């Protein structure tokens, strides 16, 4: 089994993806969540982490003079745990270029659409209004381009007749809870890497859609 891979998770809210990552920790999974850091003291995900015996920390972005100052403090906090991987799980902050470069190749995010379609916010409504037959979610490496880093894995969720934002988002969330632990485990096992040529899985370059999972 590979050596343990220390992970720090960044959150801002309820932490449902964090819970999926916590639940995926097992003796045969080298990923180990060492800390959960939030920019909001009222984030429910902090309670999830504490219940699992994981260290927590709060850095209130409003206490800093600007984005650069906050990201500098956040970097110092993260690096105190010496993680091999940093995971964004509903962390509602736009990160500075310097922060992203510091963690290049070891910073993952999950986005609720089939990238590159529907970057940004309000993806479920946009998928419905666009008449998309399929929606889904993507785990990608974070780069300086918002929601533009190489994709590691995507899960496709069919759009059903009569779907609304709530019903569609619930199915997408369920898919997120499957693929995020998978991608983190791949990274922890040394199978998933970012290179100058893009995202690689088991030494093979992944397509732009990443590893595609269909229902």
């Amino acid at each position: 089994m590979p050596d343990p891979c220390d992970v720090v998770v960044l959150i801002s809210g309820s932490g449902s993806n964090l819970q999926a990552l916590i639940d995926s920790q097992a003796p045969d999974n080298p990923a180990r969540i060492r800390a959960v850091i939030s920019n909001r003291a009222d984030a429910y995900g902090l309670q999830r982490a504490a219940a699992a015996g994981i260290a927590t920390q709060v850095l209130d972005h409003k206490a800093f003079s600007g984005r650069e100052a906050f990201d500098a403090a956040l970097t110092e906090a993260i690096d105190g745990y010496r993680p091999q991987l940093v995971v964004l799980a509903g962390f509602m902050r736009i990160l500075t270029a310097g922060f992203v470069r510091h963690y290049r190749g070891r910073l993952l995010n999950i986005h609720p659409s089939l990238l590159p379609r529907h970057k940004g916010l309000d993806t479920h409504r946009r998928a419905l209004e666009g008449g998309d037959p399929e929606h889904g979610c993507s785990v990608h490496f974070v780069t300086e381009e918002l929601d533009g880093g190489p994709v590691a894995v995507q899960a496709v969720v069919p759009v059903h007749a009569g779907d609304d934002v709530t019903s569609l988002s619930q199915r997408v969330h369920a898919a997120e809870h499957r693929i995020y632990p998978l991608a983190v485990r791949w990274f922890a096992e040394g199978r998933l890497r970012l290179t100058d040529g893009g995202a690689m899985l088991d030494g093979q370059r992944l397509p732009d859609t990443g590893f595609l999972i269909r229902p």
Side-chain angles (χ1 to χ4, degrees), residues 173-203:
H173 285 152
E176 290 178 14
H177 300 162
R178 292 194 299 272
I179 67 170
Y180 217 177
L182 179 64
V184 169
R185 179 165 184 156
W186 284 346
F187 186 95
E189 292 174 338
R191 299 176 58 195
L192 176 65
R193 287 291 179 264
L194 178 65
T195 70
D196 291 340
M200 308 281 287
L201 182 64
D202 296 330

Side-chain angles (χ1 to χ4, degrees), residues 41-90:
D42 62 350
Y44 182 67
L46 295 169
Q47 297 182 44
R48 298 180 189 269
I54 297 168
T56 63
Q57 191 169 343
V58 176
L59 278 179
D60 184 354
H61 61 276
K62 296 189 294 293
F64 294 86
S65 59
R67 188 166 285 145
E68 288 77 11
F70 173 74
D71 279 9
L74 182 60
T75 299
E76 184 177 359
I78 293 169
D79 288 353
Y81 298 99
R82 303 182 68 181
Q84 284 82 46
L85 177 64
V86 180
V87 172
L88 307 178

Side-chain angles (χ1 to χ4, degrees), residues 23-136:
D23 293 344
S24 74
Q25 294 187 119
D28 65 341
N29 184 352
R32 295 287 180 268
I33 302 174
R34 295 304 184 195
V36 172
I37 301 175
S38 176
N39 65 312
R40 296 177 57 96
D42 62 350
Y44 182 67
L46 295 169
Q47 297 182 44
R48 298 180 189 269
I54 297 168
T56 63
Q57 191 169 343
V58 176
L59 278 179
D60 184 354
H61 61 276
K62 296 189 294 293
F64 294 86
S65 59
R67 188 166 285 145
E68 288 77 11
F70 173 74
D71 279 9
L74 182 60
T75 299
E76 184 177 359
I78 293 169
D79 288 353
Y81 298 99
R82 303 182 68 181
Q84 284 82 46
L85 177 64
V86 180
V87 172
L88 307 178
F91 188 62
M92 302 305 291
R93 297 286 300 166
I94 295 176
L95 300 166
T96 59
F99 182 95
V100 171
R101 286 193 298 268
H102 182 75
Y103 295 107
R104 175 176 168 78
R106 53 194 185 107
L107 184 61
L108 289 177
N109 184 43
I110 192 159
H111 183 75
S113 79
L114 297 173
L115 292 171
R117 193 163 176 80
H118 303 313
K119 296 180 181 182
L121 302 175
D122 210 8
T123 62
H124 310 306
R125 179 189 60 79
R126 289 158 61 198
L128 290 169
E129 290 182 354
D132 296 5
E134 294 180 330
H135 191 38

